[in-house]
Amino acid sequence: MSFINYSSREINCKIVYYGPGLCGKTTNLQHIYSKTNPDLKGKMISLATETERTLFFDFLPLALGQIRGFKTRFHLYTVPGQVFYDASRKLILKGVDGVVFVADSQIERMEANVESLDNLKTNLAEQGYELAKLPYVIQYNKRDLPNAAPLEEMKRLLNPNGVTEYEACATNGKGVFETLKGVAKGVLSDLKKLR
Amino acid sequence: MIAACPKCQAKYRVDAERLSPEGARLRCAKCEAVFRVRAPDAPQAAAPVAPAAVAPPQPQSQPQPPPDPGPLVAPRVAPPQMASTPSMEPSVEPPIDRERLVIVADPDVETGKRVMGALASWGLQPVLVHDGVEAMLTIQRMLPRAAILDAALPKMYGFQICEMVKRNESLRSMNVVLVGSVHHQDRYRRPPTEMYGADVYMEKPDLPAKLAAVLQGFGYPLAAAPAAAPPPPQAAAPVAQPPTPQPIAQPPAQAAPAPAPAPQAPVPQAPAPQVADDGLGEQRANAERLARIIVSDILLYHPEQFEAGMASGQIAQALEAAIAEGRGFFTQRVDARVRDERDFIMDELHRVARERGGQ
C-alpha cells in the first residue's frame, strides 16, 4: 500500500520491476534515472556485483507531480531475477503498489519468463495480493534482438488476459518511459479510488 | 468401462451394466460439460459405427440417423464430441492402426475440433488432448506415427515434448509437427524445426489447410487427400457432418472383429497406467523444466566459468558455487521422489554442454 506522509504532504508509491534474470530491469531503471531531472530524483542505490547480478534491489525515488495538494513520489525497485533468489524477491514485493513485468524477448528465455511470471503470482498471493487487482503492465524488452520471439507468441504465453503491454529496447530507452507512465497511471488511478 | 469427457478428456469409470440402451448423460466434474455415454454393446453404440461402416447399405443407415440426432440433444457439446469421441474410443480399443494414428495436442477446443475433423475426413485416427502432460503420456502409451503439437500447451510446452520425443530412442521416428500461433517464422534467428528437432513447423492459421500436404510428406495415405483442399471444409467444420462419417468408415475392418469383447480387455489397462503415471509424470516434467531454467540462469550469469569448464572438461568444478545454489532451490521445489531419480541439474548442464560442443 502507498504510504502517505501528511507532515510532508507526500504520497509514496512502490513500483516493482519484476522479471527473469538479465531481462533488463536494471537497464530500465538506469535509463529512467539518467533521463530524469536531477531535482526530481533521489539517489539510486544499486547492489550489483561484477557479474551483473542484482543481489538486492535498485531503488529510485521519483517525483511525479501532485494529487490534491500531495506530492506523489514513486519508489522504483527491481528484484534479483535469478530463479533461486526467491527470498529477496518476496521481501521486495512487500507493500507493492504497482508491478512492471519485464519479459526477455529472446526465444531461449521464454521458459524463464513464464517461470518468473508464475513466481510473481505466487509471491504476491503469499502476501495476500492478486496480480489481476494490482496496477500491472508488461514490457516485452529486447525487441531489437534478432532472436526475439514473435510478439503474438509472447502475448499468448505471458499476457492471456490482455493487460497493457509495451515493446521496448531498454538499452536505447525505447519504450521505457511509456512503460513507467503506464504503470504509474494505474497506481494513481487506484489512489484516487481510495480517496 | 471408461468414459472420457469430449471436452477436457477427463476419464470416468462407468458401470456399463447399469447403463440403459440409450445410455446416460454425464456431467463432467472437471469442466461441467454434459455428454452422453453408451454401453459398449448397446445397439446405440453400434449404430454410429454400423451405418458408416456399411456406408453403402443406406437402408440401415437411414433409420439410424433419426435416433441419433434425438439423443444428441446436447448437440452443442456434440460437435467437439463428434471429433473427439470416435478418436477416444479407438484410443481405448486394441485395434489401433498406428499407421493412421495422429495425436493432436491443442489447448483450444475449436482448433482441436477443426484439425480432428480434417484428419478424420482423410481417413486417419486422430486423438485429441488439451495439455502437454496428457500429450506426453498419450504419446508414450499409444506410440502414434505423428503428433501435431501446439507450441504453447499448458503444463508442458509443445517444444519441450518435441525435444523429449526426439531425444528418446524409441520415439524418435515419430513425426512431429510443431504449431506456433503466428506468422513471421522468419523472425526466428534459427528455425524452430532446428531448435527443437520438429519435422515441420507450421503456423496456426495454416493448420487444417496445409496439413494434408505435410502428412502426405510423412507418407500417410490420405483417404480424401485431394479433398484436402479443405479450407472450405474447414469453414464447414462446425457442421461436423463431413468429418464424422469418415472416421467411422475407418474402423469398419477393425470394428468388425472387435465388436463387443474388445472394449473390455483394454479398458482396465488404459486408465491404470495413466493414473499411475499422471502424478509423477507431471512432477517429473516440472522438475525438468525447472532444471532447464536454473541451468539457463547459471549459464547466463557465469558464461566464462562455463566456457572454462567446457575447455577443461570439468564443468561441475568450474560452476561449483552456482550449481550448489541451483541445487538448493531445486531441492525446495521438487518432490524427493522425483528429485532422487537422477541429477536433473547436472544432466541438463551436460546436455547443454554437448549441444554447444557440437555446434
Side-chain angles (χ1 to χ4, degrees):
Chain A
M1 278 303 294
S2 50
F3 168 71
I4 302 174
N5 185 337
Y6 285 93
S7 58
S8 63
R9 298 189 71 77
E10 258 188 11
I11 304 171
N12 293 276
C13 309
K14 180 174 187 176
I15 293 175
V16 175
Y17 281 66
Y18 214 93
L22 296 189
C23 67
K25 302 176 289 290
T26 301
T27 313
N28 261 276
L29 256 65
Q30 282 169 342
H31 182 79
I32 293 166
Y33 189 77
S34 69
K35 298 288 178 188
T36 307
N37 183 338
D39 299 336
L40 299 179
K41 68 188 178 191
K43 192 174 178 184
M44 182 161 163
I45 301 167
S46 183
L47 297 181
T49 68
E50 67 283 357
T51 57
E52 286 187 79
R53 120 187 357 191
T54 310
L55 279 177
F56 194 43
F57 58 78
D58 301 317
F59 171 72
L60 170 58
L62 193 65
L64 288 183
Q66 296 196 347
I67 290 185
R68 295 182 190 178
F70 282 77
K71 284 182 284 185
T72 54
R73 183 174 284 273
F74 284 81
H75 299 244
L76 310 186
Y77 291 72
T78 68
V79 296
Q82 271 179 295
V83 68
F84 26 78
Y85 293 138
D86 204 30
S88 304
R89 282 194 293 271
K90 285 179 186 175
L91 197 67
I92 292 164
L93 273 180
K94 279 186 192 291
V96 66
D97 293 301
V99 177
V100 174
F101 183 81
V102 182
D104 188 330
S105 291
Q106 298 180 90
I107 196 157
E108 296 86 344
R109 294 294 284 166
M110 223 43 70
E111 272 192 331
N113 286 330
V114 174
E115 166 69 25
S116 180
L117 187 55
D118 285 348
N119 177 258
L120 168 63
K121 289 175 189 166
T122 307
N123 286 347
L124 285 174
E126 278 181 20
Q127 299 183 33
Y129 293 104
E130 199 179 323
L131 188 57
K133 292 182 181 166
L134 270 178
Y136 161 59
V137 300
I138 294 184
Q139 180 190 79
Y140 304 114
N141 194 21
K142 307 193 188 181
R143 293 309 301 167
D144 56 323
L145 294 188
N147 54 338
L151 202 58
E152 290 302 319
E153 203 82 56
M154 296 193 71
K155 286 180 183 177
R156 195 168 153 226
L157 282 171
L158 304 171
N159 191 12
N161 296 328
V163 302
T164 312
E165 56 195 7
Y166 302 89
E167 287 189 74
C169 173
T171 48
N172 63 24
K174 185 180 172 243
V176 170
F177 272 100
E178 289 83 346
T179 306
L180 177 61
K181 279 179 198 163
V183 72
K185 194 172 150 192
V187 172
L188 293 176
S189 146
D190 267 17
L191 274 177
K192 284 175 187 163
K193 277 185 216 162
L194 288 174
R195 301 184 142 237
Chain B
M1 63 176 279
I2 300 294
C5 167
K7 194 173 171 192
C8 70
Q9 310 298 323
K11 292 186 171 55
Y12 297 94
R13 194 177 294 278
V14 178
D15 187 352
E17 289 178 3
R18 297 177 67 180
L19 292 175
S20 69
E22 295 82 33
R25 289 178 72 193
L26 289 187
R27 182 183 294 277
C28 176
K30 196 171 164 192
C31 69
E32 301 207 325
V34 177
F35 59 102
R36 184 167 289 277
V37 180
R38 295 190 178 90
D41 358 307
Q44 293 280 35
V49 178
V54 197
Q58 289 170 348
Q60 269 194 355
S61 57
Q62 275 185 345
Q64 300 293 358
D68 243 0
L72 291 181
V73 180
R76 296 248 169 122
V77 188
Q81 231 175 342
M82 303 297 264
S84 58
T85 304
S87 66
M88 283 313 296
E89 284 175 7
S91 78
V92 178
E93 289 172 13
I96 291 170
D97 182 358
R98 278 197 52 223
E99 289 304 298
R100 292 178 181 278
L101 191 63
V102 183
I103 304 292
V104 180
D106 200 297
D108 180 56
V109 176
E110 285 305 312
T111 309
K113 194 172 68 177
R114 263 203 336 260
V115 176
M116 292 284 288
L119 293 174
S121 72
W122 301 332
L124 302 176
Q125 286 186 350
V127 173
L128 180 63
V129 294
H130 293 292
D131 71 58
V133 171
E134 200 183 352
M136 194 66 229
L137 292 174
T138 311
I139 287 170
Q140 284 172 334
R141 198 178 70 234
M142 301 182 80
L143 302 174
R145 193 171 146 189
I148 299 164
L149 305 172
D150 186 277
L153 286 170
K155 295 189 182 174
M156 186 176 178
Y157 298 129
F159 52 77
Q160 286 178 250
I161 299 175
C162 183
E163 275 186 314
M164 287 177 73
V165 163
K166 292 298 177 184
R167 260 191 268 152
N168 185 312
E169 294 275 324
S170 57
L171 298 175
R172 191 172 294 161
S173 60
M174 192 181 94
N175 294 123
V176 178
V177 179
L178 197 58
V179 181
S181 63
V182 284
H183 295 282
H184 312 307
Q185 180 184 342
D186 52 356
R187 289 179 68 178
Y188 290 95
R189 188 168 57 178
R190 286 166 60 203
T193 43
E194 187 194 312
M195 286 192 285
Y196 307 113
D199 295 282
V200 172
Y201 174 78
M202 290 183 72
E203 287 158 354
K204 209 156 223 177
D206 299 333
L207 241 197
K210 295 186 180 170
L211 203 51
V214 168
L215 294 175
Q216 277 175 327
F218 293 159
Y220 275 101
L222 301 189
Q234 178 188 346
V239 182
Q241 297 305 351
T244 321
Q246 290 286 12
I248 298 172
Q250 281 308 312
Q254 304 158 352
Q264 279 186 337
V267 162
Q269 286 174 1
Q274 218 180 8
V275 173
D277 273 3
D278 240 341
L280 224 51
E282 189 171 347
Q283 290 190 40
R284 201 173 288 123
N286 286 338
E288 285 175 351
R289 178 165 165 260
L290 186 61
R292 276 199 301 277
I293 293 168
I294 289 173
V295 168
S296 166
D297 268 3
I298 290 175
L299 301 188
L300 209 57
Y301 282 85
H302 307 280
E304 291 88 7
Q305 287 98 315
F306 178 67
E307 292 303 327
M310 287 267 285
S312 65
Q314 303 201 317
I315 296 175
Q317 285 85 340
L319 293 166
E320 196 176 357
I323 291 172
E325 270 183 319
R327 278 220 173 95
F329 183 68
F330 189 82
T331 306
Q332 288 171 21
R333 292 270 301 264
V334 179
D335 189 293
R337 286 173 300 167
V338 173
R339 204 170 63 217
D340 295 341
E341 284 179 356
R342 61 187 173 89
D343 191 338
F344 283 83
I345 292 183
M346 284 313 293
D347 286 354
E348 174 63 13
L349 207 47
H350 286 135
R351 187 191 70 76
V352 175
R354 274 197 306 276
E355 200 174 275
R356 296 205 181 171
Q359 277 177 0

